[in-house]
Amino acid sequence: MQAPHFAPGLKGYPWTAPALDRAQISAQGWNVLAGDLPLPVAVLHRQALRHNLGWMQKHVDDAGIALAPHGKTTLSPELFAAQLQAGAWGITFASVHQLALGLQHGVRQALIANQVLQAADLLQLHGLRATHPGLRAPFLLDSLAQLHTIEATAATHRLSEPFEVLLEWGLAQGRTGCRSEAEALAVARAAKASPAVRLVGLSTYEGLWGSGDSAADQALVHGLTDAVHRLAQRCDAEGLFEHDQVIITAGGSALFDQVSGALTPKLSRPVLGLLRSGCYLTHDDGHYQRLVHVANRRLGCADGDGLRAALRVWTLVQSGPEPGLVILNAGKRDASTDMGLPVPVAWAPADARTAQAAPAGWSLTAMNDQHAYLRLADGAPTLQVGDRVALGISHPCTTFDKWRWMPVVDEGLNVVDAISTLF
């Protein structure tokens, strides 16, 4: 694989710098607060990244399962490589297209945590398996209608090798997945009888329902995983699985600790439990911070010892139009807003090279495409035009897709590495 190429034209990359390979980035001596990078710029903190990689890998190792982190979070080849090097079983993707990108950058084992049924996608997946011998990339199956579509494509194009599928169990009013055991068993039995697919495991997803109320969340997860265990045991008893190791997979980034211990039901053959959390890698300062704070208590882990926010968007104060309000030069094009507005976490005067924590009373009240409205607290420092403010984000997935590169920085905000994204 060739090293990624960073060049002027990428948002946040210096216009006067030469095009560089990744290995050359650290030698440039760039610093976020020295004016070396145009703001806004999204940065990743190396120390927090390394901590999160090791922390989650130890968590799944202790639970006796494996990790298949969701690649859609970052869609970054460099971060995929870091996750695999840390011990991940493979990478999860949301589409065949994403899988193809991952395969171009060294991924060799994957899940597709979504239904696949378009002929173009099925044919692409068939071609990827032909060009990557030994590739495992099971996708989700939840209906007879989907199965019939797969069968039609396989018959029309005379595909001899069946697709690996995971039977999906879903929650009422939720996303995809079978809603009753009778429905799920009907799909599983039809899959067993079909030459187009092989049933290799079960999948579910609890992440959208995390509330932060431990008792309610525990009841939800127990109900969900108990249903999956019963379904797995029924499929096992009827001989519906067609692989010598059954995959049981779940796990968003909100209740990962609750499902980690419930992915290895007792079956007649070995079980591979796979946790699919993706946002753990950079964590955040909003939605996941609130939920993982509760998870830390369940795990007996102090917040500082748990997952740490690694993603920041550094911005510039471009206007102070009225007392108590400043306008930052970053907006929805630069940071996610779908699960809450960013929060100011640090700042530095225009001529400073050292950042300091943002006062507790500062808050963002709105964002436009290219502007953020920062309200200042009474008695707190007054920001001037040209000062810099770092925003912690909520929900990393929809910040990563706004950037084609991100510098990686040390604790002094010196640029020591870089990552690319494939969005």
Side-chain angles (χ1 to χ4, degrees):
M1 181 182 73
Q2 292 185 341
H5 207 58
F6 303 96
L10 295 174
K11 183 171 64 172
Y13 191 91
W15 270 102
T16 56
L20 300 169
D21 288 330
R22 182 186 179 192
Q24 300 172 294
I25 292 289
S26 63
Q28 304 309 303
W30 294 337
N31 181 281
V32 175
L33 297 182
D36 296 321
L37 305 176
L39 303 184
V41 65
V43 304
L44 297 173
H45 284 259
R46 179 176 62 180
Q47 186 173 341
L49 278 177
R50 290 176 174 175
H51 170 83
N52 293 347
L53 279 166
W55 191 95
M56 184 59 83
Q57 191 61 49
K58 182 178 185 302
H59 174 76
V60 296
D61 289 345
D62 289 347
I65 59 175
L67 184 63
H70 214 315
K72 70 174 176 59
T73 299
T74 68
L75 213 60
S76 168
E78 296 82 9
L79 295 178
F80 294 164
Q83 290 170 310
L84 293 169
Q85 186 175 6
W89 171 88
I91 303 293
T92 296
F93 295 104
S95 66
V96 178
H97 170 70
Q98 290 180 2
L99 169 66
L101 294 174
L103 292 175
Q104 290 175 9
H105 295 278
V107 176
R108 290 296 175 264
Q109 205 157 232
L111 300 178
I112 301 176
N114 214 342
Q115 278 64 28
V116 177
L117 67 153
Q118 292 186 93
D121 287 336
L122 292 166
L123 293 174
Q124 183 182 14
L125 180 55
H126 179 266
L128 291 172
R129 292 193 303 169
T131 56
H132 295 82
L135 169 66
R136 295 204 69 192
F139 60 83
L140 306 189
L141 177 71
D142 72 349
S143 70
L144 294 176
Q146 180 194 358
L147 178 59
H148 294 156
T149 300
I150 296 167
E151 290 172 329
T153 297
T156 298
H157 296 275
R158 299 180 180 180
L159 306 182
S160 58
E161 182 68 20
F163 295 100
E164 289 192 331
V165 295
L166 301 169
L167 180 64
E168 186 184 15
W169 179 263
L171 286 172
Q173 306 304 311
R175 250 172 10 196
T176 51
C178 298
R179 298 298 201 258
S180 72
E181 186 173 294
E183 175 191 9
L185 284 170
V187 174
R189 290 165 182 153
K192 174 60 186 257
S194 174
V197 300
R198 289 192 303 162
L199 183 63
V200 299
L202 271 64
S203 175
T204 193
Y205 176 59
E206 80 299 331
L208 291 178
W209 291 267
S211 66
D213 180 328
S214 280
D217 290 341
Q218 185 175 39
L220 170 85
V221 171
H222 280 180
L224 183 66
T225 54
D226 284 351
V228 169
H229 287 193
R230 289 193 302 270
L231 180 57
Q233 289 160 354
R234 288 288 303 274
C235 291
D236 186 43
E238 293 188 28
L240 302 180
F241 293 123
E242 296 187 80
H243 197 279
D244 56 8
Q245 184 183 55
V246 177
I247 293 173
I248 305 292
T249 179
S253 298
L255 304 178
F256 63 87
D257 66 304
Q258 300 259 24
V259 299
S260 295
L263 296 180
T264 53
K266 293 188 180 301
L267 303 179
S268 66
R269 63 189 72 195
V271 173
L272 173 62
L274 289 177
L275 187 72
R276 301 195 305 269
S277 301
C279 296
Y280 78 90
L281 183 57
T282 62
H283 196 41
D284 73 6
D285 287 287
H287 175 73
Y288 289 114
Q289 190 278 333
R290 290 188 291 271
L291 291 172
V292 174
H293 171 73
V294 179
N296 286 339
R297 293 205 303 265
R298 291 193 295 262
L299 293 167
C301 176
D303 281 341
D305 297 328
L307 297 175
R308 300 172 185 171
L311 175 58
R312 299 280 189 262
V313 178
W314 275 93
T315 71
L316 187 73
V317 176
Q318 69 179 61
S319 179
E322 59 191 61
L325 171 67
V326 299
I327 305 300
L328 308 178
N329 72 334
K332 296 177 182 178
R333 303 291 187 188
D334 310 300
S336 53
T337 61
D338 58 310
M339 289 188 175
L341 291 172
V343 295
V345 294
W347 75 286
D351 59 353
R353 291 285 295 267
T354 303
Q356 53 192 294
W362 286 4
S363 65
L364 255 64
T365 56
M367 292 185 84
N368 304 141
D369 285 357
Q370 308 286 172
H371 301 88
Y373 298 70
L374 175 59
R375 297 286 175 178
L376 306 178
D378 292 340
T382 299
L383 290 170
Q384 305 296 325
V385 170
D387 290 345
R388 286 75 56 84
V389 177
L391 300 178
I393 57 88
S394 180
H395 192 209
C397 296
T398 49
T399 294
F400 270 95
D401 66 10
K402 303 177 193 312
W403 298 87
R404 299 298 169 265
W405 88 297
M406 290 184 186
V408 178
V409 299
D410 64 14
E411 295 308 293
L413 296 176
N414 300 299
V415 177
V416 294
D417 198 357
I419 65 100
S420 60
T421 69
L422 302 172
F423 292 101

